[in-house]
Amino acid sequence: MPFCLASLSIKTYPVQGMMALTVWKRVALAWGAGLLSALAFPPFNALFLLWLSFPVLALLLAQATRDREAFWIGWAFAFGQLLISFYWIAGALFVDIKAFWWVLPFALCGLPAFLSIYYGLFAIMARRWSGRGLDFLIVVALGWFFADMLRGHLLTGFPWDILGYVWADHLPMMQSVRELGVEGLSLLTALLAVLPAGFFLKDMTRRQTFGAVIVAILLATGLYGLGVIRLRQAPQEFVPDVMLRLVQPQMDQVSKWDPQQKARDLEKLIRLSIEPTQGVKPTHVLWPETASAYYLAEEPEIRRMIAARLPKDAVLLTGSVRRQFDEAGELRYYNSLIAMDARGTIVAGYDKHHLVPFGEYMPFADIIPLKLVSMMGKPFTAGEGVRTIRVPGLPPLSGLVCYEAIFQGGVVEAADRPALLVNVTNDAWYKGTIGPAQHFLIARARAIEEGLPLVRIANQGKTAVIDPYGRVVKAIGYDRAGFVDSPLPKAIEETGTSDPLWKRDVSWMLVLLLLLSAGKIHYSRIATRRDS
């Protein structure tokens, strides 16, 4: 009898305590739980907080009596999480804080507040469509997953720190994204995260809860174990006759656009590119996004000077701003990746197509009288889209400029699969924040998903060569200038019969299946009410 009473009190106390709170205190509790959930992501990696915070969200939604209450609980939880996950965005304003101080509250709170609306809407869905017990927890997990997908795809999309990235610093678990994609891993993680709430739901028996939790633990452990096996069995093969030199210059974001500074910055890039290393002769030199303030496409003398001083016969890949007049005679700016040969001739190029709102272009520019948060002060024009380019001496490659590397399924040209991903980025805007560390790990996920090596060159972030299993071959640490020489890993060969699940339109089939399942739960609940 004492055991039964203790069990009953454990099961009912949290729910009774939440019911005793006013609505806005429940909303505040949801916000606090959301703040805790953000610490499960890298670089904090407090994974255990996932199983403390998400059950609180589920229990709060289980007690919501009105749509408005459910909305604010879901919104507040997401706002707390995204506030921590996105705070680094405001760091860009401090490059010129005198000009942009008034934007600070909008950058710090506005984007999280807006994107949290998706999660508020999912909370309404959970309250309206939920069945009982396990059905309810499944709907909560599905709702979070759908909100993550909306955030990642609507209005240009921003899938930063969707739930699957809590595993981003755990390489064995991340091997599952090869088949599931990080979006599939997000769904699995959401299901795992809410299950402990079952211990406190009156419609779930202890047997049901323990059974669900054991299945979840076995599934997660199995995926982790398969990841360990995959990494142990994975060969590490390199492309012959290729030696890369990656240069991380650590240039200041403000002074780099000063006309008197650009010559000194270019000299620094060249010096790091030619510094001798015993027994190593680079065949390709790689510089980061907008590495030089020169418009290299327009200045053949500068290109020839660079080529003459680089290692003999070396090809240079670098980020560069490019200008071009359109058919109407208007000057357009492009954030580009260009390749030039040993004679200084540009032999390949790619223009960034997925531009950063408010940083590279102004949405609704005709009605929003705001200045770009950019040292350029001018909007960029989007390129034609993701495409494969050919650079002498390298396998076919897909160029990714800055945050283009965060989009699952958006980094390779399907009709012309590359064998290499090259991501040039700056990250100097966000020095001293969690942004560069998260950016590196999120980009690494693309290498695992696509089965392709990733060469990432940053100005002030983390520069690295990553193999198609996500293993770092060579790297330069954060916040230091330098270079690293590395061979180029080979890609995993992919055929039509070995395409990963997330590439076979399974993601859309899965969404349809989940919608049908949610509908079934909804109508089962209606039938139960009628029978009672």
Side-chain angles (χ1 to χ4, degrees):
M1 180 65 71
F3 174 80
C4 295
L5 291 174
S7 174
L8 181 62
S9 65
I10 291 172
K11 193 175 186 69
T12 59
Y13 179 74
V15 176
Q16 289 178 345
M18 290 176 185
M19 286 297 291
L21 298 174
T22 63
V23 170
W24 291 112
K25 285 183 178 180
R26 293 186 214 172
V27 171
L29 178 59
W31 180 70
L35 288 173
L36 283 180
S37 72
L39 302 181
F41 290 87
F44 311 107
N45 289 318
L47 264 174
F48 71 95
L49 292 177
L50 204 66
W51 288 278
L52 295 177
S53 56
F54 271 83
V56 170
L57 171 65
L59 292 173
L60 287 169
L61 290 177
Q63 304 305 315
T65 57
R66 293 181 295 175
D67 287 350
R68 184 173 63 179
E69 180 184 349
F71 173 86
W72 286 115
I73 287 171
W75 181 91
F77 185 95
F79 179 66
Q81 183 183 108
L82 299 184
L83 190 65
I84 300 296
S85 293
F86 293 175
Y87 85 88
W88 54 269
I89 294 174
L93 303 176
F94 287 90
V95 173
D96 190 7
I97 193 63
K98 290 182 179 179
F100 297 113
W101 63 267
W102 59 276
V103 187
L104 191 60
F106 298 99
L108 189 62
C109 299
L111 182 63
F114 174 74
L115 294 178
S116 296
I117 293 172
Y118 297 138
Y119 300 87
L121 296 175
F122 110 74
I124 294 175
M125 181 193 80
R127 195 193 81 81
R128 285 192 170 191
W129 287 16
S130 66
R132 297 177 179 177
L134 185 59
D135 284 352
F136 168 72
L137 296 182
I138 290 173
V139 170
V140 171
L142 291 180
W144 189 272
F145 168 73
F146 290 143
D148 266 356
M149 295 306 96
L150 290 175
R151 173 160 70 86
H153 292 277
L154 292 186
L155 302 175
T156 81
F158 192 56
W160 193 281
D161 271 6
I162 62 173
L163 196 54
Y165 285 121
V166 297
W167 306 101
D169 216 7
H170 301 268
L171 197 54
M173 194 65 167
M174 287 300 291
Q175 298 306 302
S176 64
V177 305
R178 175 61 179 156
E179 288 297 328
L180 302 177
V182 75
E183 293 177 353
L185 184 57
S186 293
L187 173 59
L188 175 62
T189 304
L191 291 167
L192 295 175
V194 299
L195 283 179
F199 288 107
F200 307 103
L201 291 176
K202 65 179 181 179
D203 294 315
M204 279 190 72
T205 65
R206 282 182 297 167
R207 182 176 180 181
Q208 289 175 323
T209 304
F210 275 115
V213 169
I214 289 171
V215 169
I217 291 173
L218 289 175
L219 178 59
T221 303
L223 285 176
Y224 193 94
L226 289 173
V228 171
I229 294 171
R230 185 173 192 257
L231 288 170
R232 286 180 178 175
Q233 295 179 345
Q236 194 161 65
E237 301 174 316
F238 299 100
V239 177
D241 304 321
V242 174
M243 180 57 64
L244 309 175
R245 171 158 292 190
L246 282 59
V247 175
Q248 181 169 288
Q250 287 286 107
M251 292 187 297
D252 181 72
Q253 184 59 35
V254 176
S255 64
K256 70 181 291 185
W257 299 106
D258 185 333
Q260 296 180 349
Q261 181 64 29
K262 66 180 183 180
R264 291 191 290 269
D265 285 344
L266 181 58
E267 181 63 29
K268 182 178 184 180
L269 284 163
I270 294 173
R271 176 173 52 80
L272 290 170
S273 301
I274 62 176
E275 191 166 323
T277 303
Q278 187 174 5
V280 175
K281 181 183 180 298
T283 60
H284 297 79
V285 176
L286 296 97
W287 294 351
E289 178 188 13
T290 58
S292 170
Y294 289 97
Y295 296 105
L296 293 179
E298 303 174 20
E299 305 193 55
E301 291 298 324
I302 296 292
R303 297 201 309 269
R304 283 193 287 269
M305 181 273 291
I306 294 171
R309 295 186 59 190
L310 291 183
K312 185 179 180 182
D313 299 325
V315 175
L316 173 68
L317 279 80
T318 179
S320 179
V321 176
R322 189 176 70 84
R323 299 186 296 188
Q324 177 179 312
F325 286 99
D326 62 16
E327 295 178 354
E330 184 178 351
L331 188 61
R332 301 282 187 176
Y333 289 78
Y334 298 86
N335 192 355
S336 303
L337 171 67
I338 64 172
M340 68 181 208
D341 64 16
R343 295 184 298 276
T345 303
I346 295 178
V347 293
Y350 161 76
D351 297 323
K352 182 179 183 180
H353 74 280
H354 207 137
L355 301 178
V356 179
F358 304 102
E360 292 177 317
Y361 77 100
M362 183 60 64
F364 312 110
D366 294 337
I367 59 175
I368 302 179
L370 293 179
K371 180 183 175 182
L372 285 171
V373 184
S374 166
M375 297 307 297
M376 290 292 298
K378 303 175 180 67
F380 284 97
T381 298
E384 296 178 355
V386 61
R387 65 191 185 90
T388 301
I389 62 176
R390 267 73 182 176
V391 174
L394 289 178
L397 65 90
S398 182
L400 307 170
V401 180
C402 192
Y403 93 140
E404 287 184 318
I406 75 173
F407 297 96
Q408 176 184 313
V411 296
V412 301
E413 183 180 0
D416 187 11
R417 185 176 188 257
L420 169 64
L421 302 174
V422 175
N423 178 210
V424 293
T425 188
N426 187 351
D427 288 358
W429 298 91
Y430 313 109
K431 183 178 180 180
T433 72
I434 64 174
Q438 291 187 335
H439 194 189
F440 168 76
L441 292 170
I442 291 171
R444 185 176 73 167
R446 303 290 84 76
I448 306 170
E449 283 172 348
E450 298 289 349
L452 299 175
L454 170 68
V455 178
R456 187 174 191 271
I457 316 96
N459 175 21
Q460 291 191 8
K462 184 170 183 177
T463 293
V465 174
I466 299 165
D467 77 3
Y469 301 91
R471 297 174 296 198
V472 175
V473 178
K474 291 287 184 69
I476 304 173
Y478 296 100
D479 299 329
R480 74 178 187 88
F483 68 90
V484 64
D485 296 323
S486 174
L488 175 62
K490 285 185 177 181
I492 297 174
E493 292 188 11
E494 186 174 284
T495 64
T497 57
S498 64
D499 287 349
L501 287 172
W502 68 270
K503 280 193 173 184
R504 298 185 213 164
D505 292 328
V506 170
S507 56
W508 294 108
M509 292 166 58
L510 180 61
V511 168
L512 178 60
L513 177 63
L514 296 176
L515 284 172
L516 291 173
S517 299
K520 181 179 181 298
I521 291 171
H522 175 53
Y523 288 112
S524 296
R525 186 183 182 192
I526 291 175
T528 301
R529 285 178 174 175
R530 286 174 180 172
D531 292 341
S532 60

